[in-house]
Amino acid sequence: MEKAGYPFILICALVTVLFTFFGISVLAVLSLLCTAFVCWFFRDPERIIPQDANALVSPADGKIIIAEAIENSPFTQGPSIKISIFMSIFNVHVNRIPCKAKVVGIDYYPGKFFSAHLDKASKENEHNVLFLETEKGDKICFVQIAGLIARRIVCRINKGDLVERGQRFGLIRFGSRLDVYLPAGARLNVSVGDKVSSGETVLGYLL
């Protein structure tokens, strides 16, 4: 269970108890179902992390909505490969690190809350940008983006930290999106429409 969910679970459980105490059975049942859903939403299953040193794993569960080479982005210099992962409320929302590296920068931007499916969500929604650099000097950028429902980005790592592939580092609550920018020379391993799992699915390989 992801600890960020404890306050939500406690509130739902307390409301359930109050409805039960006052004999409001219909609302008590609905509140109990809500409590069960919140417990399920904040689940944090273990994952089998790929051991290939060049593998770049998905930082999020969800569906690939963009997987393409681009010439420029708001967060990287020059060409890169952009992969966008949409997370619905039914996905695990714990985010993980794509590869072993050093955190060389973290930039948080307050913003709006457009639907995470929209292209403008990458730049205009509230988002948190993380920059990694591997021992070989490869640079990877990934962006936690708040969505229409998601209103809280959690990030538990700091600039200067050394991180491992598959390491948990945060989450985005209640549906959102995560964009990944790989070096232009990386080999893409996913395509639009693919379902991915954080820490397990290989998005691509460094060459």
Side-chain angles (χ1 to χ4, degrees):
M1 184 72 68
E2 163 57 46
K3 63 182 180 182
Y6 292 164
F8 296 93
I9 296 169
L10 182 61
I11 291 171
C12 291
L14 180 59
V15 171
T16 302
V17 170
L18 290 174
F19 282 142
T20 302
F21 179 79
F22 289 107
I24 311 175
S25 56
V26 174
L27 293 181
V29 171
L30 291 175
S31 183
L32 179 62
L33 291 174
C34 182
T35 303
F37 172 78
V38 174
C39 289
W40 177 77
F41 176 85
F42 284 102
R43 65 199 185 280
D44 182 14
E46 294 296 330
R47 295 289 165 82
I48 300 174
I49 313 300
Q51 297 302 305
D52 188 324
N54 294 317
L56 298 161
V57 300
S58 177
D61 280 32
K63 181 180 179 180
I64 301 293
I65 57 175
I66 296 174
E68 61 185 15
I70 59 174
E71 290 300 318
N72 295 288
S73 83
F75 314 111
T76 60
Q77 295 181 348
S80 61
I81 297 174
K82 179 180 181 180
I83 302 170
S84 293
I85 305 163
F86 177 75
M87 293 178 280
S88 75
I89 60 172
F90 301 108
N91 292 123
V92 173
H93 272 60
V94 175
N95 297 149
R96 294 174 180 259
I97 297 292
C99 63
K100 181 178 180 180
K102 181 178 181 179
V103 181
V104 295
I106 299 179
D107 293 327
Y108 170 77
Y109 299 86
K112 301 176 182 179
F113 299 96
F114 294 115
S115 173
H117 275 295
L118 302 175
D119 287 341
K120 62 183 178 181
S122 292
K123 294 187 291 185
E124 298 187 34
N125 279 20
E126 175 188 358
H127 56 278
N128 189 51
V129 190
L130 299 99
F131 301 92
L132 302 183
E133 184 171 344
T134 69
E135 293 178 345
K136 295 181 179 179
D138 291 306
K139 293 179 172 58
I140 293 94
C141 169
F142 51 106
V143 189
Q144 294 173 290
I145 304 169
L148 185 63
I149 300 174
R151 298 298 177 100
R152 183 70 171 92
I153 293 173
V154 177
C155 179
R156 300 191 179 107
I157 56 176
N158 300 292
K159 182 179 180 180
D161 286 354
L162 298 177
V163 291
E164 297 291 333
R165 181 189 305 107
Q167 175 183 326
R168 298 172 177 87
F169 75 90
L171 74 155
I172 317 172
R173 295 175 186 162
F174 302 110
S176 45
R177 170 173 166 173
L178 204 147
D179 289 347
V180 185
Y181 297 89
L182 306 181
R187 176 162 59 88
L188 189 61
N189 194 56
V190 292
S191 56
V192 173
D194 288 352
K195 300 291 181 65
V196 295
S197 298
S198 63
E200 283 189 342
T201 304
V202 177
L203 298 180
Y205 294 90
L206 294 173
L207 301 179

